[in-house]
Amino acid sequence: MEIYGLLLARYGHRHWWPAETPFEVCVGAILTQNTNWGNVEKAIANLKRDRLLTPGALRDVPLDLLAEAIRPSGFFNVKSVRLKGFVSWLFERFGGSLERMFAGEWGELREELLKVPGIGRETCDSILLYAGEKPSFVVDAYTRRLFAALGLVSEKADYETVRSLFMADLPADPRLYNEYHALIVQHGKEHCRKRPRCTGCPLHVCPSTMLP
DNA sequence: TTCCCGGCTG
DNA sequence: CAGCCAGGAA
């Protein structure tokens, strides 16, 4: 059985992305940069408490209040500017409407989104896939670690190379990409960590199990 | 390569 | 309490 099937059999459906709205997904994708999800949840809860989880509210809130609200997610001075930058771009380009943002051809949207300061490749693909349900595969640290450990990609392959490998091998199905990435993350947390925990690994092929 | 930062785990 | 963890820009 292939990797996806083994991971699905072990971990089951992950029901990603944990958010109430597509806009919440976009905000979460920026807040989770270099930050674990637990901290992002606290920041999101603060934004909801302060009624800031809409494009208009984020556009209008003073920068320092926004920074204070998202403090638990870390790098709050950078991320507050990034959130402001994203929503101001969203307003000037799509009138503040995610529906309009996702309405066109998503390949062009991806190129445009990547030009927004603070939206890198992983954040961009997370927004496309989890907020817009576009079949754009998300590559993260767990993806690289796992597939390098399996010998399927070089450790130093760049983002676009790894993403292209997945997309060339898989049907362009957003539900599949959604599930697959979520499974890779779960597997990364449980087994394929920086310091690998190979006992009980559903793939039983990681480096330390192949030691003499 | 370095800077940007908090919260959880051992 | 030290160590760990997680993207993007310059």
Side-chain angles (χ1 to χ4, degrees), chain A residues 201-212:
Chain A
C201 174
L203 305 177
H204 67 338
V205 281
C206 84
S208 73
T209 63
M210 305 195 298
L211 292 175

Side-chain angles (χ1 to χ4, degrees), chain A residues 110 121-126 136-140 144 157-164:
Chain A
R110 183 172 192 264
R121 299 179 191 286
E122 182 181 344
T123 305
C124 178
D125 289 326
S126 296
S136 192
F137 204 90
V138 178
V139 176
D140 67 350
R144 293 160 167 289
D158 68 18
Y159 185 100
E160 297 295 340
T161 302
V162 178
R163 174 173 177 270
S164 297

Side-chain angles (χ1 to χ4, degrees), chain A residues 5-12 190-191 200-202:
Chain A
L6 291 168
L7 294 176
L8 182 60
R10 168 63 63 94
Y11 303 113
E190 286 189 32
H191 295 285
C201 174

